Amino acid sequence: MTSKSATAKAHPNIAFIKYWGNSNSLLRIPANGSISMNLESLFTKTTVIFDDTLPSDEFYLNGVLQSQEDTQRITHFLNHIRNMANISSFASIHSENNFPTAAGIASSASAFAALALAASAALQIELNETALSRLARLGSGSACRSVPSGYVEWQTGSCDEDSFAFSIAPPEHWHLSDCIAVVSSKPKKVGSSEGHELAISSPLQNSRIADAPRRISICRQAILERDFDSLASIIEIDCLWMHAVMMTSIPQLFYWAPATLEIITEVQDWRLHGLPVCYTIDAGANVHVITESAYEKEVTFRLSQIPSVIHVISSQCGRGVELLSKIT
Ligand code: PMV
């Protein structure tokens, strides 16, 4: 029996400028560019063991064997890597998230970034950051942004070769935190892969995409200049653009809960009174409240005082994917 294994760790990321809709859904080439921040305190750790004796891939999440259906997406992704290495062995995949998977925090970004590195390293495929980001993108679009460190931009590109993410500033460039107000732990009604397909059915999507380069440029500049006010207004507008598209898709995708709006209102009031805070929301009801890290405790406390908030998960800006060990 021959087995080759490696373990990698990756962080999820929160998008400041959102990716919603693909120009090529097979290759996950996005309809617009996006910008995000990695979340240091949250991570996925994945070990991949390629084993000639396995009859199929097997996937364990937090120690629990996952269904055929959930394993299929991983098998499909690993096939790209098996093709690169010209092997056919199946693998045993063991992933652990240190954050509740059911808390509605996107775990596919950290999952596929960690899987891309662990699987390629186990098979001795040397990939630079760009190639690894392209590979992770094939598993989940936003995963390509969890490969580089800190504040990251994903350039749209037009094909597999030029659609990848790169770092625009390291984590220590600006001490920002994401305080995630968890208001629902129910799984999403419609997952993002399905949601991306619906984006174009909204009459607003083309305008959203046409204006994206302007929003990207403002956001990038705000990060480079550590300009919180400018960052806050572009993050919120961009989030509303995405949710407007979701809400006007056919069928409509309505992710907000009453608590979502309640938190938005509070955050805007806090900012009006001088606290550096702004909100963004992914494909779910939870609200990500971005603040300067000096105010992380204060914001976490204020959010936890809102009765509809179940709990708050906070994180500073994080590093890119890293290889923890390798046995070949
Ligand atoms: O990578 P996906 O297919 O899970 O899509 C992510 C979509 C959003 O989280 C809503 C936006 C983003 O840019 O992360």
Side-chain angles (χ1 to χ4, degrees):
M1 185 193 97
T2 54
S3 67
K4 301 161 185 219
S5 81
T7 302
K9 178 178 171 185
H11 304 279
N13 63 74
I14 178 65
F16 291 170
I17 301 296
K18 308 290 189 188
Y19 147 55
W20 196 245
N22 289 310
S23 66
N24 179 330
S25 36
L26 266 184
L27 292 174
R28 297 183 199 267
I29 310 293
N32 64 280
S34 51
I35 291 184
S36 60
M37 165 177 113
N38 287 338
L39 301 176
E40 183 66 21
S41 313
L42 281 54
F43 63 81
T44 301
K45 207 166 103 179
T46 297
T47 299
V48 180
I49 308 158
F50 284 95
D51 182 340
D52 293 342
T53 64
L54 284 173
S56 61
D57 292 323
E58 52 181 33
F59 172 40
Y60 293 84
L61 180 60
N62 297 325
V64 179
L65 183 64
Q66 301 296 295
S67 69
Q68 279 287 102
E69 202 188 324
D70 288 336
T71 311
Q72 233 166 35
R73 185 163 172 191
I74 296 210
T75 292
H76 184 73
F77 178 71
L78 286 181
N79 286 343
H80 294 292
I81 304 174
R82 282 189 272 258
N83 283 342
M84 289 165 113
N86 204 15
I87 64 143
S88 54
S89 320
F90 289 110
S92 186
I93 302 107
H94 300 260
S95 270
E96 275 166 44
N97 288 336
N98 78 333
F99 53 98
T101 313
I105 298 159
S107 55
S108 66
S110 50
F112 282 100
L115 184 60
L117 180 55
S120 57
L123 296 179
Q124 310 270 47
I125 306 170
E126 297 273 338
L127 298 175
N128 63 20
E129 186 181 278
T130 302
L132 195 61
S133 174
R134 286 172 43 209
L135 176 62
R137 191 200 73 232
L138 297 173
S140 167
S142 57
C144 78
R145 296 190 311 237
S146 282
V147 171
S149 184
Y151 299 90
V152 173
E153 179 173 343
W154 175 10
Q155 64 179 31
T156 319
S158 56
C159 59
D160 178 49
E161 282 74 29
D162 61 1
S163 186
F164 57 85
F166 53 89
S167 176
I168 52 179
E172 58 280 7
H173 166 74
W174 195 8
H175 297 287
L176 291 185
S177 291
D178 180 8
C179 304
I180 310 166
V182 178
V183 299
S184 164
S185 51
K186 287 195 201 125
K188 293 179 212 171
K189 277 175 270 172
V190 176
S192 44
S193 295
E194 210 180 314
H196 291 300
E197 298 294 306
L198 297 178
I200 200 61
S201 69
S202 162
L204 303 182
Q205 172 72 343
N206 283 333
S207 313
R208 192 187 78 87
I209 291 165
D211 183 60
R214 185 188 68 88
R215 298 194 303 279
I216 288 271
S217 154
I218 293 173
C219 183
R220 190 195 301 121
Q221 203 59 22
I223 291 171
L224 294 176
E225 291 172 2
R226 301 186 195 91
D227 179 343
F228 195 88
D229 286 343
S230 167
L231 185 78
S233 39
I234 204 68
I235 283 184
E236 292 186 353
I237 286 290
D238 186 84
C239 161
L240 294 177
W241 260 119
M242 181 180 76
H243 282 272
V245 165
M246 290 165 160
M247 291 173 192
T248 50
S249 293
I250 304 164
Q252 56 179 271
L253 293 178
F254 204 102
Y255 286 109
W256 295 10
T260 312
L261 197 51
E262 200 183 330
I263 298 164
I264 290 178
T265 314
E266 289 289 339
V267 167
Q268 289 195 318
D269 188 51
W270 298 342
R271 187 155 86 250
L272 211 62
H273 289 90
L275 200 64
V277 277
C278 63
Y279 68 84
T280 186
I281 306 152
D282 276 345
N286 301 330
V287 184
H288 293 251
V289 181
I290 310 299
T291 187
E292 288 176 353
S293 299
Y295 299 91
E296 182 186 305
K297 273 207 172 83
E298 166 78 16
V299 172
T300 301
F301 175 74
R302 288 193 190 201
L303 288 170
S304 65
Q305 296 303 101
I306 301 174
S308 48
V309 172
I310 304 168
H311 65 282
V312 183
I313 299 173
S314 305
S315 176
Q316 298 198 7
C317 183
R319 287 164 291 172
V321 67
E322 58 188 309
L323 188 64
L324 299 182
S325 64
K326 175 166 128 173
I327 305 166
T328 54

